[in-house]
Amino acid sequence: MRNLLNFLLKYNYWFLFIVLEVASFVLLFRFNRYQQSAFFTSANTVVGAVYEVSGGVSSYFHLKSVNEDLMDRNMVLEQQITNLEKALRERQLDSLTIKSIRQVSQTDYELFKAHVIKNSLNLVDNYITLDKGSSSGIRSEMGVVDGNGIVGIVYETSPSYSVVISVLNSKSNISCKIVGSDYFGYLKWEHGDSRYAYLKDLPRHAEFNLGDTVVTSGFSTVFPEGVMVGTVDDMSDSNDGLSYLLKIKLATDFGKLSDVRVIARTGQEEQKKLENKVTQE
């Protein structure tokens, strides 16, 4: 206590100076309009700059959640477009019917969020490990996609993890078609460049152009129709000459996989059980 009193007595002139300065500034800005206006303008500029920096930092740390929301919305919109195009090709629709079709994409399947914790690109059979498993509702033979396109199919699950057969795997065999065409083929990866795969068994009379978009056909229990796969990059004849062999530039960048979505189709297990029953008879 004595040291504090000695300190205050030693520097009492400085404290008095500070008090008088503060009082003078208060009187100056309170009773003079010009100085008051200049003070508040400067203060607002400083506060605005601080808020701008704070907002930028906050936005940066929320980018991940924003990206996840955009990914979910992108998938919903893609499926809506596919359903609408298919229905409009079949018949002329009124606004109420179109509105009901818009809801189909939100009820046909459920999405589960997951994060890639292990990935490979250069093997003949590449697998991907996710940080979610059966306890999160994920099970075998569910489709996996990211914000750009298809990623693979769930192979095995544990309570906390899932192993996915990547598109970059010799066992992967996904039914796909060219947008605007009902003809379909099967997407296969040839060991090599992770940016490309091949669409096989496309009939010779199918019409297409380089650059056309390739999507899932919907002819399976795994992926709904219309999920982005890639674009036609090149074409050639198959070995037997009876079909086309199309080189597809994949929409998914497998070297940058991070956040993905696992698709659970409504009625998937029922359809699979029925099909297995028929094939076993």
Side-chain angles (χ1 to χ4, degrees), residues 177-225:
K177 68 177 183 178
I178 298 173
V179 171
S181 170
D182 290 329
Y183 297 107
F184 66 94
Y186 296 93
L187 188 74
K188 295 286 291 183
W189 181 66
E190 304 291 342
H191 177 57
D193 197 332
S194 63
R195 297 174 298 171
Y196 297 94
Y198 290 88
L199 187 61
K200 298 184 176 184
D201 296 339
L202 191 71
R204 293 281 299 180
H205 51 278
E207 297 181 358
F208 61 89
N209 296 295
L210 296 182
D212 281 354
T213 300
V214 178
V215 298
T216 53
S217 66
F219 297 155
S220 73
T221 61
V222 180
F223 291 102
E225 180 183 359

Side-chain angles (χ1 to χ4, degrees), residues 4-267:
L4 177 61
L5 292 175
N6 291 333
F7 175 79
L8 294 176
L9 290 174
K10 183 177 179 180
Y11 295 101
N12 65 89
Y13 295 106
W14 282 103
F15 288 118
L16 179 60
F17 171 76
I18 292 173
V19 171
L20 292 175
E21 283 291 319
V22 171
S24 63
F25 277 116
V26 170
L27 293 174
L28 177 65
F29 291 116
R30 183 174 182 180
F31 297 105
N32 293 275
R33 291 183 179 275
Y34 175 77
Q35 285 81 0
Q36 187 180 54
S37 175
F39 170 77
F40 283 114
T41 300
S42 301
N44 287 337
T45 301
V46 174
V47 171
V50 172
Y51 282 151
E52 184 177 359
V53 172
S54 175
V57 173
S58 178
S59 298
Y60 175 79
F61 285 106
H62 285 85
L63 282 177
K64 183 176 181 180
S65 61
V66 171
N67 183 61
E68 290 180 349
D69 292 339
L70 288 175
M71 186 183 296
D72 291 341
R73 185 58 180 164
N74 183 56
M75 286 199 57
V76 170
L77 290 175
E78 283 185 359
Q79 193 64 25
Q80 288 177 350
I81 291 171
T82 300
N83 292 329
L84 287 170
E85 288 179 346
K86 182 178 179 181
L88 289 172
R89 284 198 304 266
E90 294 175 352
R91 59 188 182 279
Q92 192 70 26
L93 300 175
D94 56 30
S95 59
L96 289 177
T97 306
I98 292 176
K99 184 177 180 180
S100 67
I101 293 174
R102 286 182 180 271
Q103 305 303 317
V104 172
S105 64
Q106 300 177 31
T107 57
D108 268 358
Y109 57 85
E110 184 179 0
L111 298 178
F112 299 99
K113 298 179 180 180
H115 185 74
V116 174
I117 58 176
K118 185 179 180 181
N119 185 19
S120 62
L121 303 176
N122 302 317
L123 304 176
V124 175
D125 294 322
N126 294 290
Y127 293 90
I128 299 167
T129 304
L130 307 180
D131 65 347
K132 297 293 177 61
S134 57
S135 62
S136 298
I138 297 175
R139 58 182 183 272
S140 299
E141 298 193 29
M142 285 185 174
V144 182
V145 301
D146 74 349
N148 298 309
I150 61 172
V151 171
I153 300 173
V154 176
Y155 181 57
E156 293 285 353
T157 64
S158 68
S160 301
Y161 300 98
S162 302
V163 174
V164 176
I165 296 179
S166 170
V167 169
L168 310 181
N169 188 304
S170 64
K171 299 182 180 67
S172 178
N173 194 26
I174 300 172
S175 178
C176 302
K177 68 177 183 178
I178 298 173
V179 171
S181 170
D182 290 329
Y183 297 107
F184 66 94
Y186 296 93
L187 188 74
K188 295 286 291 183
W189 181 66
E190 304 291 342
H191 177 57
D193 197 332
S194 63
R195 297 174 298 171
Y196 297 94
Y198 290 88
L199 187 61
K200 298 184 176 184
D201 296 339
L202 191 71
R204 293 281 299 180
H205 51 278
E207 297 181 358
F208 61 89
N209 296 295
L210 296 182
D212 281 354
T213 300
V214 178
V215 298
T216 53
S217 66
F219 297 155
S220 73
T221 61
V222 180
F223 291 102
E225 180 183 359
V227 179
M228 182 67 177
V229 175
T231 55
V232 179
D233 186 74
D234 199 1
M235 63 164 288
S236 60
D237 290 328
S238 62
N239 294 331
D240 58 13
L242 300 178
S243 59
Y244 286 120
L245 178 65
L246 303 186
K247 184 179 182 180
I248 307 300
K249 185 174 183 180
L250 299 172
T252 300
D253 187 344
F254 285 86
K256 296 182 178 179
L257 281 182
S258 179
D259 294 309
V260 296
R261 297 293 179 271
V262 182
I263 303 174
R265 293 192 64 185
T266 302

Side-chain angles (χ1 to χ4, degrees), residues 268-280:
Q268 181 184 33
E269 292 185 347
E270 180 182 352
Q271 180 182 346
K272 181 183 175 183
K273 185 182 296 185
L274 179 61
E275 291 173 349
N276 288 339
K277 181 179 179 181
V278 172
T279 55
Q280 291 173 1

